[in-house]
Amino acid sequence: MIDLHTHSTMSDGSDSPARVVELAAEAGCKAIALTDHDRLDGIPGARARAEELGLELVPGCEVSCEIAVGTLHALVYFLEPGCGAFEHELFVLQGQRDERNVQLVEHLSSLGLPVSLDELTAEGGRGAGRPHAAAILMRKGVVGSIREAFDVWLARGRPGYIERPRLAPQRVAQLALASRGVAVVAHPLSLALSPASMHSTVGELAALGFSGIEAWYGDYEPSDREGLAALAARHGLVATGGSDYHGTYKPHLQVGVGRGDLDVDDGALDELRQRIPA
Ligand code: AMP
Ligand code: ZN
Ligand code: FE
Ligand code: FE
């Protein structure tokens, strides 16, 4: 078993990088990727714990891209802190996130939703974002769950949403390859495409340099996972997988096993490694 998609306190997970690795070891994972949003600074702590526990730490991150049919999340693997071009782009994204957060709390306040910048920073640290605003609103009794905070206020298209810049997918793929990493399409069903559009979109992303799609996703039904693995095979892409563990921010997903029925094959990581540019 491996898990190629997890989040820590460096972004919007509730467990430290070291703790996420411990949970992976307890679940029986041979390898774990830490894929915090827009940042690599959890990698050293995760790797140190992985070395102690004898499992492989795959360094990575998750970034949002803008594509014609919506917002795409990309997982980028084998990026080390100090990897150059890609990390520089992450620093730009981090600055844009900080600016968005200032606008977000002002906007939420104007809607009568009490979230201050200090509270947001206390909740989320350097990686603070919408999930932390959601947690604050839940603690204050404004909403009953993080899910509800997104559905009613924070999701794109809802009244509390504030836009932030997103990368083009070709830039993600090219910068990843330039930094000797590989890019993978995260949770492809979030795009909510018809089967025909999914097929053509995945083909376009493969042509842009994406190496895989996340078929074995923690929150998907077995039949959807199988369908996505078949789609990956049709496009010559690696079928990867992971839980998208966020701790208390997504309480129904556990490291390694997702909702309980996930078991990503070790071979996915071997295949992905073969896509690293020489
Ligand atoms: P941000 O990067 O601050 O804009 O927050 C985006 C993150 O919020 C995503 O990467 C997810 O982890 C989480 N998120 C986005 N939409 C939802 C949703 N509808 N329900 C729960 N969490 C969400
Ligand atoms: Zn997240
Ligand atoms: Fe995501
Ligand atoms: Fe994620």
Side-chain angles (χ1 to χ4, degrees):
M1 178 192 283
I2 58 174
D3 188 337
L4 298 179
H5 190 165
T6 67
H7 297 270
S8 78
T9 46
M10 291 295 172
S11 66
D12 57 350
S14 61
D15 290 298
S16 69
R19 182 65 190 145
V20 173
V21 171
E22 287 167 12
L23 291 169
E26 286 166 20
C29 291
K30 287 199 184 134
I32 162 104
L34 186 68
T35 54
D36 278 312
H37 300 282
D38 303 341
R39 50 202 319 133
L40 300 172
D41 40 10
I43 301 301
R47 173 166 289 126
R49 193 72 186 114
E51 281 172 3
E52 286 167 3
L53 295 174
L55 69 166
E56 180 180 352
L57 189 278
V58 179
C61 65
E62 183 174 19
V63 294
S64 296
C65 303
E66 196 67 41
I67 63 172
V69 292
T71 300
L72 171 94
H73 287 190
L75 293 161
V76 186
Y77 296 110
F78 311 118
L79 293 177
E80 301 289 342
C83 64
F86 201 95
E87 193 178 35
H88 181 264
E89 195 68 46
L90 293 178
F91 293 147
V92 174
L93 291 174
Q94 290 162 25
Q96 292 167 341
R97 167 181 293 278
D98 292 343
E99 290 171 23
R100 190 281 312 264
N101 286 345
V102 171
Q103 296 170 8
L104 179 66
V105 295
E106 280 176 13
H107 183 60
L108 293 178
S109 298
S110 76
L111 295 171
L113 301 172
V115 179
S116 73
L117 195 58
D118 285 349
E119 287 171 318
L120 192 68
T121 306
E123 178 78 25
R126 280 177 290 176
R130 288 183 289 161
H132 306 98
I136 292 164
L137 292 173
M138 185 172 82
R139 209 164 48 235
K140 293 185 174 180
V142 178
V143 293
S145 66
I146 290 184
R147 185 66 178 268
E148 184 191 335
F150 273 92
D151 290 348
V152 177
W153 297 108
L154 298 171
R156 200 176 202 183
R158 304 306 300 158
Y161 184 75
I162 298 285
E163 202 57 67
R164 70 182 171 98
R166 292 190 174 80
L167 298 171
Q170 54 267 42
R171 185 157 174 78
V172 170
Q174 285 165 9
L175 282 174
L177 295 172
S179 294
R180 301 195 69 239
V182 298
V184 165
V185 180
H187 42 72
L189 301 185
S190 294
L191 290 166
L193 300 176
S194 67
S197 318
M198 180 66 85
H199 184 82
S200 58
T201 299
V202 168
E204 286 161 21
L205 292 165
L208 292 178
F210 277 75
S211 301
I213 64 174
E214 190 177 45
W216 314 107
Y217 183 63
D219 223 1
Y220 288 168
E221 298 301 328
S223 58
D224 287 330
R225 295 172 183 160
E226 300 284 349
L228 288 167
L231 184 63
R234 283 214 294 283
H235 290 284
L237 294 168
V238 181
T240 71
S243 63
D244 207 5
Y245 179 73
H246 282 74
T248 57
Y249 290 93
K250 287 190 182 177
H252 60 296
L253 296 171
Q254 299 308 315
V255 177
V257 297
R259 293 184 305 198
D261 65 348
L262 188 68
D263 184 355
V264 182
D265 192 87
D266 305 2
L269 179 56
D270 300 329
E271 285 182 47
L272 208 51
R273 216 189 305 277
Q274 287 166 15
R275 307 290 177 122
I276 298 174

